[in-house]
Amino acid sequence: MRVLLSTIGTRGEVQPLVALAVRLRELGQEVRLCAPPDFREWAEGLGISFAPLGPELRSTAKPDSAMTKAMATPEGRRAMAEAMVVDQFETMPDVAEGCDAVVAGMALNIAAHSVAERKGIPYFFTAYCPITLPSLHHRPPVFPGWAPKNPDAAIPALWADDAERWNRQWGDVLDAQRKLLGLPPVDDVRGHIFTEQPWLAADPVLAPWRGPSALDVHQTGAWILPDHSPLSPELEAFLDDGEPPIYFGFGSIRAPEEIAKAMIEAARAHGRRAIVFRGWTELALIDDEPDCVAIGDVNQQALFPRVAAVVHHGGAGTTTAATRAGVPQVLVPQMFDQPYFARRVRDLGVGTSITGEPTAESLASALAEVLRPEVASSAARVGGEVRTDGVDVAAKLLMEAV
């Protein structure tokens, strides 16, 4: 079996598909990964065949980049969206040649279903958070420039409005590209992408699926990539040189301005040391004091169990890793699924969250809340309930279906 795994997005969208690719290869299957070029070296280092899709995304973490400026206006967002779809339709058919199935890992992978349809092979859509998928239990997620006409409307009306926005945003360019492939137009873009039987690659304890919904959702559990890479000698020495520090990181997304100063001051307010993840924003330390260290990409599975708390943006991957590690969390959500995970962390009693621009004072107050023994106890208990077999479930589903 040869499978094409495809996604558009940052590390949080790519890593679950990398986890599935690794597992499928272990089971003797052939895999191709189609993703932004930022991740080529990483994927190929794991022995995964890689095809770049779209532009590099690292610059989106910088407020002064051309891509970030273009996304600041409705016209710019629309032009970029249309160019993205055209690029997908130009790239993916060749990459999918000879494949037996396509698995799409993000809703903005607009072309994936059409390419699979044209090839006559199965297509599977995967969400990483329950609120991505329509349900009467929750409201649709909100993208920048994607606000509903009436935010106070009932949930069914909000999802209907969401479907209309999908059609307005993507319908014309999708149908134009489908016509070039000899395919008929689509009258429901969102339904076309999600299908009636989507997969949900999220942990059922941290992010349970709750209907009712018109969709037949199969929740596999989170797709976790096992990481056996060692921590650097410098980081090991820092961890061994005192009490567990606080970890601060915002992954691949843009971090708020002056956040490094606020984070370090908040840790120091509690007499704690700090580990600052540079991320795509390239956060830096504010001085040369020995109580702080800045790091690049790191094995979260090895690091998180050794810190006192994890302060992060609330993406699906980092939230799952911190929850699985059994460590208290402070979330600073900005968009899409991050407010959902902030709420779940609070509901589970494993952490708290900050609304709005974080300050040293708000971060210090949040840390005071999560550094209590009872929060650490809850985090450890919930961490022991997180499933780790999600990628095995997904690989089995895929192989049986194909």
Side-chain angles (χ1 to χ4, degrees):
M1 181 178 71
R2 181 183 295 126
V3 182
L4 172 60
L5 309 178
S6 181
T7 189
I8 300 293
T10 57
R11 177 88 177 220
E13 286 76 44
V14 177
Q15 182 156 317
L17 289 186
V18 171
L20 180 58
V22 169
R23 185 64 185 125
L24 287 170
R25 289 182 69 250
E26 291 173 347
L27 294 171
Q29 311 305 317
E30 185 177 340
V31 180
R32 296 173 183 170
L33 176 64
C34 201
D38 311 72
F39 305 100
R40 177 194 285 275
E41 183 178 353
W42 175 41
E44 292 182 343
L46 294 170
I48 301 169
S49 175
F50 184 88
L53 182 63
E56 288 192 355
L57 298 180
R58 183 175 291 272
S59 65
T60 59
K62 303 295 180 64
D64 57 347
S65 72
M67 187 178 296
T68 302
K69 291 178 180 178
M71 293 172 62
T73 66
E75 298 78 13
R77 286 194 294 270
R78 186 168 191 85
M80 289 189 63
E82 291 182 356
M84 178 186 71
V85 175
V86 171
D87 181 73
Q88 290 177 22
F89 273 95
E90 291 177 346
T91 301
M92 292 186 64
D94 289 342
V95 183
E97 190 64 36
C99 288
D100 301 299
V102 175
V103 178
M106 189 187 182
L108 296 185
N109 207 329
I110 307 297
H113 193 176
S114 298
V115 171
E117 185 180 343
R118 185 66 182 87
K119 300 287 184 182
I121 59 178
Y123 160 84
F124 306 92
F125 172 75
T126 301
Y128 301 141
C129 178
I131 64 165
T132 302
L133 304 172
S135 167
L136 295 180
H137 187 77
H138 56 250
R139 302 158 62 94
V142 177
F143 298 89
W146 194 272
K149 290 182 294 187
N150 180 11
D152 298 322
I155 288 178
L158 289 172
W159 279 110
D161 182 52
D162 181 74
E164 291 178 8
R165 290 199 304 275
W166 276 93
N167 288 340
R168 289 196 304 269
Q169 179 72 40
W170 308 107
D172 290 345
V173 65
L174 173 60
D175 286 344
Q177 294 299 312
R178 284 175 61 85
K179 185 176 181 180
L180 295 176
L181 294 181
L183 298 172
V186 170
D187 59 5
D188 177 10
V189 174
R190 190 187 68 195
H192 167 76
I193 294 171
F194 289 177
T195 77
E196 295 179 350
Q197 296 179 311
W199 296 349
L200 176 57
D203 182 74
V205 172
L206 174 61
W209 171 250
R210 299 176 69 180
S213 172
L215 303 178
D216 180 15
V217 177
H218 193 122
Q219 184 161 18
T220 63
W223 297 356
I224 298 171
L225 176 66
D227 191 344
H228 305 291
S229 58
L231 302 178
S232 70
E234 294 79 12
L235 183 54
E236 285 280 6
F238 182 81
L239 290 167
D240 290 339
D241 195 32
E243 290 187 345
I246 310 295
Y247 170 92
F248 297 91
F250 286 84
S252 307
I253 69 168
R254 191 187 321 162
E257 294 182 8
E258 302 297 321
I259 186 63
K261 184 174 186 294
M263 293 187 303
I264 292 172
E265 289 181 354
R268 287 173 174 169
H270 290 278
R272 294 279 184 168
R273 301 176 301 150
I275 296 174
V276 176
F277 175 62
R278 297 188 187 94
W280 282 8
T281 307
E282 298 181 2
L283 298 176
L285 302 181
I286 60 175
D287 53 39
D288 296 327
E289 293 298 318
D291 62 343
C292 303
V293 63
I295 62 172
D297 288 341
V298 70
N299 180 351
Q300 293 181 343
Q301 296 167 23
L303 174 60
F304 282 1
R306 300 177 63 180
V307 302
V310 174
V311 181
H312 61 100
H313 58 296
T318 305
T319 309
T320 301
T323 304
R324 181 186 174 204
V327 60
Q329 304 174 59
V330 175
L331 273 63
V332 187
Q334 297 183 45
M335 59 182 179
F336 190 49
D337 59 353
Q338 296 164 12
Y340 168 85
F341 284 111
R343 184 172 67 252
R344 287 298 300 156
V345 162
R346 295 194 305 270
D347 290 347
L348 289 169
V350 301
T352 189
S353 63
I354 294 173
T355 303
E357 194 83 1
T359 64
E361 292 75 19
S362 63
L363 286 169
S365 177
L367 284 173
E369 184 175 346
V370 304
L371 290 174
R372 294 177 297 146
E374 54 267 36
V375 177
S377 177
S378 294
R381 175 182 54 78
V382 173
E385 299 173 359
V386 173
R387 287 176 50 181
T388 59
D389 64 342
V391 74
D392 297 298
V393 172
K396 182 179 179 181
L397 280 173
L398 181 60
M399 293 171 67
E400 289 177 348
V402 176

